[in-house]
Amino acid sequence: MSDYFNVADIFGENVFNDAVMQARLPKKVYKKLHEVMEEGKELDLETADVIAHEMKEWAIEKGATHYTHWFQPLTGVTAEKHDSFITAPMSNGKVLMSFSGKELIKGEPDASSFPSGGLRATFEARGYTAWDCTSPAFVRQDAAGATLCIPTAFCSYTGEALDQKTPLLRSMEAINDQALRLLRLFGNTTSKKVTPSVGPEQEYFIVDREKYLQRKDLIFTGRTLFGAMPPKGQEMDDHYFGAIRERIAAYMKDVNKELWKLGVSAKTQHNEVAPAQHELAPIYAECNVAVDNNQLIMETLKKVAGRHGLQCLLHEKPFAGVNGSGKHNNWSITTDDGINLLDPGATPHENVQFLMVLTCILKAIDEHAALLRASAADVGNDHRLGANEAPPAILSVYLGDQLGDVINQLVSTGAATHSLEGEKLETGVKTLPDFMKDATDRNRTSPFAFTGNKFEFRMVGSQDSVAQANIVLNTIVAEAFSDACDILEKAEDFELAVHDLIKTYAKDHQRVVFNGNGYSDEWVAEAEKRGLPNIKSMVDAIPAYIAPESVAAFEKFGVFTKAELTSRVEIEYETYAKTINIEAKTMIDVAGKQIIPAVIRYVTSLGESVNTVKSACASADISVQTGLLTKCSALLAQAQNALTKLEEVTAEGGKMEEGRDQAVYYRDTVKAAMDALRAPVDELEMIVDKDVWPMPSYGDLIFEV
Ligand code: ADP
Ligand code: MG
């Protein structure tokens, strides 16, 4: 088989997409399904039966033996239970392959085995998965054979959401309703639907699998828990956009091919800031499809790596002291007839509708900064947000020169009369064309940056789902639109009322706009003066989910009930404590069974060397050996003490009741004990003979892929 292929031929070949449905479904059924997808009508069983049959026939042609309801429980990853298509053997001993409408639209996994934060107990375990027909089914081909995957939402028997998908779909409805309300006020009578578009950029690390397998910390926790910095890090800035090495390029080629077959529009790939760090971005898609596709991207990155003898690390901070990984969530709102509500046009000061939308977004971000921060909280992300790394834990909005100036005019004079124009950028090289500079520069330090016709929310962690971030964004912006509509619908003079409202929102919420360097200490001080929250850890971020203003917004649009939010908060605390507990236990294991024994061997050999050299030549200078021996022995004792302490505090944590107190304890006490153990071990790694050290170093891992 040739190694080269035509992308257009393979793109979407494993997706039961619209083209396939149009070709295979009876016209009437195809039309009905579209009514369900577009107008939210109910899907009747008869129609579902026809769709299921065709889907099965198509999947079997692709080699599928099983189907699965593919869903996103609150574990952060996807879940699936496989059923084969076979029916009970007939009298002739043969089987039929069948798949009914009921099996397509509804599944019944045991809800009690997934995190529910107390919503479901084992004795009331019933849970349902329901087909999300707006996200297409696909066939996944891998070592397990081919499987028909049906994207679904996952709910409890009583209808509470137990997954990411259900609230996401609810939030999309909310923003659709409220954005349409606003558009109608501006005289738009033609748009029928408004959808958030999302393009998540995925960062990841690639290391050699053989080396990965020698590091228990990477295997159990996804990040290194020990490791001294190599002589060279990322200081030369030579990796970002650098030429992609052959081995990685071959891997990326395979990843792209797999994704294209699944209809995921993998588009951009490049090396990132840190050595061994890379990025993949698809072309943006409707919010729920983008969320599903991002899960597929993460699964594919991991799966394909194995085939190349590589390991993909999706953790936010696999290596301390080296740039971490995030996921930039590009977000905009578009109508079914192609209007991007975030497109400012050439002269934004004149585009009243755009300014109304923009100031609503400023209001939403300012009023719900803590909630949006919480939406990006995950355990690994604590090493980025609030640590000395991008982006800061303070939510601010970057608008750039042009829009920032428009808002300034509005606030200072009450009217915006002009827009800064893009200037001509002269390259100074004759053979290069001069081109128009964007009116807005890029700012890489802002957590929420306007980038021309979309916002880029940069706080999300690399291994986290982007669902939560988009649920929150959609809901808080829907609320701001709704508040604006409440005022504007009552206004006698619409023009006047709009201008007043834009001014008021700009003035009231300008404090959240910040165009400077988000990494600087000055900004931290300035943000505090402005009263903006600076929430440094996941544990402190979690309560925002059940703050009164959050509950009010979620309940108003039916995105979450108070009970669902409370359950999610419980799950987050549990997840935090459990994750740190695993990290602590892994450190105990690695230090106790690998590192301390290795250092003892090394110290012993030093002692033997001292004796041997001394007896061979009484006048020999043995200061190097004794110096090392003294230093290593002291660090060894320090490490052993720290290990004992870590064992004690971790055991204590395990006895605590699950909940906020336990999470706080793990953050403040267990993590501190982990740091105290790591320090002497990393120092030892710098002086102990490399041959003795029981695992590959940072240098081995990130420079030798
Ligand atoms: P960057 O220069 O920020 O790294 P990339 O090309 O890596 O840009 O990623 C930008 C992402 O934003 C892509 O996924 C792209 O499809 C997406 N995007 C572009 N326009 C929009 C839009 N209007 N709404 C949402 N996402 C968008
Ligand atoms: Mg990018």
Side-chain angles (χ1 to χ4, degrees):
M1 197 180 72
S2 157
D3 245 9
Y4 301 98
F5 53 87
N6 182 338
V7 181
D9 288 345
I10 62 163
F11 191 85
E13 74 175 21
N14 288 350
V15 187
F16 196 69
N17 55 25
D18 200 61
V20 178
M21 291 198 276
Q22 193 165 18
R24 300 191 73 127
L25 296 176
K27 264 209 179 70
K28 226 176 83 194
V29 172
Y30 175 78
K31 201 171 145 241
K32 259 200 181 151
L33 182 60
H34 266 271
E35 284 170 8
V36 175
M37 284 159 65
E38 274 133 39
E39 292 154 43
K41 287 196 182 156
E42 204 140 316
L43 185 65
D44 62 274
L45 211 53
E46 212 178 307
T47 311
D49 272 331
V50 180
I51 301 170
H53 175 79
E54 278 308 320
M55 211 187 253
K56 176 206 71 185
E57 291 296 304
W58 169 84
I60 289 173
E61 284 167 26
K62 304 267 164 213
T65 53
H66 289 69
Y67 72 91
T68 179
H69 276 199
W70 187 75
F71 59 106
Q72 298 168 31
L74 300 172
T75 51
V77 289
T78 56
E80 44 196 77
K81 176 180 142 229
H82 297 188
D83 278 293
S84 77
F85 290 119
I86 64 167
T87 52
M90 298 175 294
S91 53
N92 64 1
K94 293 268 181 204
V95 289
L96 285 176
M97 301 289 263
S98 83
F99 184 48
S100 69
K102 194 163 163 265
E103 287 167 315
L104 165 65
I105 56 181
K106 196 174 104 192
E108 276 192 54
D110 178 353
S112 68
S113 311
F114 293 101
S116 73
L119 277 180
R120 311 299 324 139
T122 20
F123 59 88
E124 41 187 11
R126 207 182 278 267
Y128 292 110
T129 48
W131 182 32
D132 166 21
C133 61
T134 58
S135 185
F138 55 93
V139 166
R140 195 182 48 203
Q141 294 161 324
D142 55 22
T147 309
L148 169 66
C149 300
I150 300 152
T152 55
F154 180 40
C155 294
S156 76
Y157 182 62
T158 38
E160 286 117 350
L162 297 174
D163 69 346
Q164 311 274 24
K165 193 47 131 359
T166 310
L168 183 72
L169 294 172
R170 294 173 183 163
S171 76
M172 288 171 70
E173 273 178 34
I175 199 161
N176 173 48
D177 294 344
Q178 301 309 319
L180 280 178
R181 228 179 121 194
L182 192 68
L183 283 177
R184 297 288 179 257
L185 283 170
F186 279 92
N188 176 325
T189 51
T190 45
S191 300
K192 288 203 204 79
K193 199 175 167 196
V194 177
T195 327
S197 300
V198 171
E201 301 163 52
Q202 177 72 47
E203 292 180 335
Y204 60 94
F205 276 83
I206 288 292
V207 296
D208 183 82
R209 188 161 162 81
E210 284 291 312
K211 293 189 185 121
Y212 162 87
L213 289 173
Q214 294 168 50
R215 300 235 17 166
K216 288 223 175 86
D217 47 4
L218 282 179
I219 294 174
F220 291 131
T221 72
R223 74 178 181 106
T224 53
L225 300 168
F226 300 102
M229 276 305 284
K232 181 184 174 192
Q234 64 198 46
E235 61 272 50
M236 302 296 283
D237 289 331
D238 52 357
H239 192 256
Y240 190 59
F241 281 20
I244 298 171
R245 276 167 290 183
E246 281 255 312
R247 188 172 179 201
I248 303 296
Y251 160 73
M252 287 178 168
K253 184 184 122 195
D254 263 11
V255 168
N256 287 334
K257 190 174 176 187
E258 289 286 314
L259 289 172
W260 289 332
K261 284 205 265 178
L262 291 170
V264 178
S265 54
K267 169 88 175 159
T268 310
Q269 61 196 25
H270 59 79
N271 288 353
E272 259 301 327
V273 175
Q277 192 185 28
H278 309 277
E279 182 188 292
L280 188 159
I283 296 172
Y284 65 93
E286 292 198 0
C287 190
N288 59 324
V289 174
V291 168
D292 283 358
N293 284 354
N294 181 248
Q295 292 287 354
L296 284 177
I297 288 174
M298 290 195 285
E299 283 178 21
T300 306
L301 283 171
K302 283 195 277 193
K303 196 168 65 185
V304 175
R307 290 186 210 149
H308 288 255
L310 298 167
Q311 184 73 32
C312 173
L313 306 176
L314 290 175
H315 195 282
E316 285 79 10
K317 196 74 177 174
F319 307 100
V322 176
N323 196 55
S325 300
K327 189 137 49 189
H328 294 175
N329 188 83
N330 292 275
W331 181 91
S332 67
I333 354 175
T334 352
T335 65
D336 57 333
D337 47 358
I339 307 165
N340 177 356
L341 302 190
L342 294 184
D343 190 349
T347 50
H349 72 280
E350 288 172 339
N351 187 341
V352 183
Q353 180 183 303
F354 169 76
L355 286 177
M356 188 72 258
V357 169
L358 179 73
T359 49
C360 277
I361 293 175
L362 291 184
K363 172 176 184 281
I365 305 295
D366 189 24
E367 288 178 349
H368 293 287
L371 179 61
L372 195 56
R373 159 69 181 88
S375 78
D378 91 348
V379 191
N381 223 8
D382 270 11
H383 298 282
R384 298 173 67 233
L385 309 178
N388 290 322
E389 186 168 330
I394 307 161
L395 248 165
S396 64
V397 182
Y398 172 82
L399 289 181
D401 298 339
Q402 191 186 47
L403 284 185
D405 176 65
V406 169
I407 296 292
N408 275 340
Q409 291 179 53
L410 281 169
V411 173
S412 55
T413 67
T417 54
H418 63 274
S419 298
L420 296 180
E421 279 174 30
E423 307 157 38
K424 209 171 186 192
L425 182 87
E426 291 179 15
T427 57
V429 180
K430 284 214 180 61
T431 51
L432 289 180
D434 294 336
F435 50 84
M436 292 303 280
K437 237 168 52 169
D438 283 341
T440 299
D441 195 5
R442 294 278 196 131
N443 180 326
R444 295 267 162 209
T445 66
S446 175
F448 199 79
F450 186 72
T451 47
N453 61 0
K454 62 185 187 323
F455 275 102
E456 187 169 347
F457 181 41
R458 304 205 179 104
M459 275 185 165
V460 185
S462 49
Q463 64 181 337
D464 207 1
S465 160
V466 283
Q468 286 177 72
N470 289 300
I471 292 167
V472 168
L473 267 176
N474 296 342
T475 308
I476 63 178
V477 173
E479 184 193 48
F481 286 169
S482 163
D483 290 350
C485 291
D486 287 346
I487 294 168
L488 296 176
E489 278 165 358
K490 285 195 214 98
E492 279 174 17
D493 183 337
F494 177 73
E495 300 280 307
L496 204 67
V498 175
H499 280 96
D500 281 349
L501 197 58
I502 292 173
K503 264 185 286 174
T504 310
Y505 283 180
K507 196 153 162 265
D508 291 352
H509 304 290
Q510 195 190 23
R511 66 173 191 161
V512 80
V513 177
F514 177 64
N515 286 337
N517 178 5
Y519 299 173
S520 67
D521 293 337
E522 291 80 52
W523 169 233
V524 176
E526 164 72 17
E528 196 179 335
K529 255 195 255 151
R530 294 190 192 181
L532 303 179
N534 181 2
I535 303 165
K536 291 199 178 112
S537 76
M538 169 168 173
V539 174
D540 287 337
I542 295 170
Y545 272 109
I546 41 170
E549 65 274 17
S550 311
V551 178
F554 284 132
E555 287 200 323
K556 178 167 183 179
F557 300 104
V559 175
F560 283 122
T561 62
K562 177 93 190 279
E564 285 171 334
L565 289 167
T566 311
S567 81
R568 265 155 220 257
V569 162
E570 267 180 52
I571 293 170
E572 300 245 329
Y573 284 134
E574 273 171 40
T575 305
Y576 185 85
K578 279 182 188 157
T579 307
I580 305 292
N581 188 52
I582 293 170
E583 290 187 349
K585 280 170 41 189
T586 304
M587 276 190 111
I588 293 167
D589 192 73
V590 173
K593 292 196 196 135
Q594 292 186 281
I595 294 172
I596 290 182
V599 178
I600 291 176
R601 280 199 300 280
Y602 180 62
V603 169
T604 309
S605 74
L606 282 173
E608 283 165 5
S609 162
V610 169
N611 289 336
T612 315
V613 175
K614 255 281 170 279
S615 59
C617 171
S619 63
D621 182 355
I622 49 158
S623 60
V624 173
Q625 290 94 320
T626 50
L628 269 176
L629 186 54
T630 318
K631 198 163 178 198
C632 284
S633 303
L635 287 168
L636 180 62
Q638 202 185 323
Q640 180 58 54
N641 286 339
L643 172 60
T644 309
K645 175 80 184 164
L646 181 60
E647 282 170 338
E648 279 166 25
V649 297
T650 308
E652 245 356 90
K655 288 185 214 144
M656 290 174 76
E657 201 182 312
E658 285 174 342
R660 180 170 173 80
D661 289 350
Q662 190 195 33
V664 169
Y665 175 85
Y666 271 94
R667 183 194 61 189
D668 295 343
T669 309
V670 178
K671 274 190 100 172
M674 286 165 61
D675 292 343
L677 173 57
R678 178 170 183 152
V681 170
D682 286 0
E683 245 187 277
L684 279 165
E685 188 185 343
M686 301 290 279
I687 49 179
V688 168
D689 186 345
K690 185 161 170 58
D691 291 341
V692 180
W693 202 253
M695 63 193 85
S697 68
Y698 271 24
D700 300 334
L701 284 164
I702 59 179
F703 284 104
E704 295 175 23
V705 196

